[in-house]
Amino acid sequence: MNDNENTTKNKPSVYYAQKKAEPERRTDHKRSGDSRKGDGFAYKKDGYKKEAYKDKPTARGRSDERTSRIETFEPKKGRVAVRKPTENSDSPWQTKIRKEPQQPSYAQKESEPALAAPQRKLAHDEVFVYSENSCKAVFKQRASSIIKAFLTEEMTTKFRDLVMSLAEKHLGYDVVSDEYMTKLTGTPHHGGVCLIVKKRTPLTALDYLDQTKKQAHDCVLAIDDINNPHNLGALIRSAAFFSAQGVILRHVDTLESGAALRVAEGGAEYVQPIRADDMAATLSQFKQQGYRVVALLPCKMKNVPAQSLFDVKFADKTVVVLFQQMNKALIQVADQIVYVSGSDVMPALNISVATGLILAQWQQRNQE
């Protein structure tokens, strides 16, 4: 065996496959109920039609009809009548034209869903007011301060007048779920209604005294170092119940909180807030105008001379000083110091309950 034969045997065998011819498409077949053309691709029944495009060369260098056609659908003319909505139509899908522009909900980020609880903080002069009685009192006393309302579906009938008033003023109101209202107010005790309201402008002591100088009877609360919103709201509720007209505060914003206004049950709308940067100086201003200052101790104290609340004779114009912890500077300004006597089992009452007792005594004195 020579070298040429060995070389020939070691070479790999190469086989070439023949390209089979594509089968011819049938052009004579038909199916019942349709009228298909012979090319098998153009459909004329029920509005189908073929839009032909020029064949584009494929990667193999040949044209492919399957990739060079687009089928579209057009409804047959005269087959389906397009109904236009009428004013008397009862269909829920009819087109509605809003006569007035819809007011947007409060500033939401574009990425947030429309019904997500608002994440932005209120402006410095705005406050959330919630619960049924509080919102009714705001609407009755200062409806012009309401900016926006949120209601659950169950409360829309009770606040029908409020909704109509907001609609007339082109102000926004949203009907939301109970879960949304809980997120909005931060509490489940929202009562199904919440208002965004402008805060009231507090008066100075001189302004308040100028307004009430002609009144024969007046009672004012001076609250020092009581920051719990629930106690504060209960104090304001008692003040409104016994016709006290003003409340002196170092920080008026503590009264303008949703929790305090809810506990007050609308009473805050009938008590005027008075700002006091210096509580002792403010009390002196009231004394100069004929008011008598009465300090209420949280409980009986050995080193402080005081008399029982039930033995005090109140003046026609009185300022009741309340504090969580005794303030010696305010004690020195007071004309009288009183306490509520009780049993040894409980050393003191809740401040709102004690305030209710002293206000009841003052009201009884004025009715005699």
Side-chain angles (χ1 to χ4, degrees):
M1 184 180 294
N2 54 23
D3 296 336
N4 294 334
E5 293 179 355
N6 292 332
T7 304
T8 304
K9 289 183 177 181
N10 294 330
K11 287 184 178 180
S13 300
V14 180
Y15 299 93
Y16 297 93
Q18 293 183 353
K19 183 178 179 181
K20 294 183 178 181
E22 294 184 2
E24 295 183 357
R25 300 184 182 276
R26 294 183 58 184
T27 60
D28 57 346
H29 67 281
K30 288 186 179 180
R31 294 183 181 180
S32 60
D34 63 5
S35 59
R36 296 175 179 263
K37 294 296 182 180
D39 58 1
F41 296 102
Y43 308 129
K44 291 295 185 179
K45 184 179 179 181
D46 295 333
Y48 288 90
K49 74 175 184 178
K50 171 186 173 183
E51 291 188 2
Y53 290 84
K54 294 182 179 180
D55 293 346
K56 297 181 180 180
T58 61
R60 296 182 181 180
R62 63 180 179 83
S63 63
D64 189 354
E65 187 180 0
R66 292 180 180 273
T67 60
S68 62
R69 85 180 198 285
I70 298 177
E71 294 178 0
T72 59
F73 174 78
E74 290 182 358
K76 277 192 174 183
K77 295 182 180 180
R79 277 285 183 93
V80 180
V82 180
R83 294 184 60 187
K84 295 183 178 180
T86 60
E87 295 181 358
N88 299 327
S89 175
D90 296 331
S91 172
W93 307 107
Q94 62 181 335
T95 303
K96 295 183 180 180
I97 300 176
R98 187 182 295 273
K99 296 182 180 179
E100 299 175 355
Q102 185 178 10
Q103 297 295 326
S105 297
Y106 262 82
Q108 306 258 347
K109 295 182 180 179
E110 293 182 358
S111 60
E112 293 178 349
L115 291 181
Q119 299 296 325
R120 80 169 183 91
K121 295 182 180 179
L122 294 176
H124 69 282
D125 60 342
E126 297 173 357
V127 64
F128 279 130
V129 179
Y130 45 88
S131 80
E132 181 177 348
N133 291 335
S134 298
C135 292
K136 285 183 176 180
V138 171
F139 179 59
K140 181 179 179 181
Q141 292 297 113
R142 50 189 182 111
S144 60
S145 300
I146 301 175
I147 302 172
K148 187 178 179 67
F150 300 89
L151 305 99
T152 58
E153 188 175 357
E154 294 77 9
M155 299 300 293
T156 52
T157 55
K158 291 186 177 181
F159 286 86
R160 181 182 178 184
D161 294 339
L162 170 63
V163 171
M164 294 177 64
S165 175
L166 292 176
E168 291 176 358
K169 298 176 182 178
H170 296 185
L171 295 176
Y173 65 91
D174 291 341
V175 179
V176 299
S177 64
D178 186 79
E179 293 77 9
Y180 178 91
M181 191 74 76
T182 300
K183 292 180 181 179
L184 179 70
T185 59
T187 175
H189 307 294
H190 47 70
V193 58
C194 175
L195 304 178
I196 298 179
V197 182
K198 288 284 186 181
K199 292 181 180 179
R200 294 174 295 174
T201 303
L203 298 178
T204 63
L206 294 177
D207 292 336
Y208 180 83
L209 291 171
D210 186 62
Q211 291 181 5
T212 58
K213 62 183 179 181
K214 295 182 179 180
Q215 295 183 8
H217 303 275
D218 187 26
C219 184
V220 177
L221 297 183
I223 301 177
D224 179 70
D225 195 28
I226 299 177
N227 299 320
N228 185 298
H230 298 92
N231 281 339
L232 190 58
L235 288 174
I236 300 303
R237 182 177 181 179
S238 298
F241 184 83
F242 291 107
S243 302
Q245 299 181 33
V247 54
I248 305 172
L249 296 164
R250 294 182 187 271
H251 305 287
V252 182
D253 288 340
T254 57
L255 178 60
E256 300 291 344
S257 67
L261 296 174
R262 178 185 68 84
V263 177
E265 292 288 347
E269 301 302 319
Y270 301 91
V271 181
Q272 179 63 50
I274 306 168
R275 184 184 298 278
D277 297 327
D278 188 333
M279 184 67 74
T282 302
L283 293 178
S284 298
Q285 290 177 325
F286 275 83
K287 291 178 66 174
Q288 293 173 5
Q289 297 297 322
Y291 283 78
R292 189 171 182 84
V293 178
V294 179
L296 176 62
L297 296 179
C299 59
K300 186 177 181 180
M301 299 181 180
K302 296 180 179 180
N303 300 328
V304 181
Q307 60 185 131
S308 174
L309 169 65
F310 306 105
D311 298 332
V312 176
K313 292 183 179 180
F314 290 94
D316 294 336
K317 290 189 174 183
T318 302
V319 178
V320 179
V321 183
L322 309 169
F323 30 67
Q324 200 73 35
Q325 296 179 353
M326 188 182 66
N327 188 325
K328 293 183 178 180
L330 302 183
I331 289 292
Q332 294 175 358
V333 179
D335 298 308
Q336 286 180 302
I337 305 172
V338 300
Y339 70 94
V340 180
S341 59
S343 66
D344 297 333
V345 177
M346 186 62 61
L349 287 172
N350 179 274
I351 187 65
S352 63
V353 178
T355 301
L357 292 175
I358 193 171
L359 290 176
Q361 289 289 104
W362 174 83
Q363 188 182 67
Q364 184 179 6
R365 160 69 178 77
N366 290 329
Q367 291 177 353
E368 292 178 356

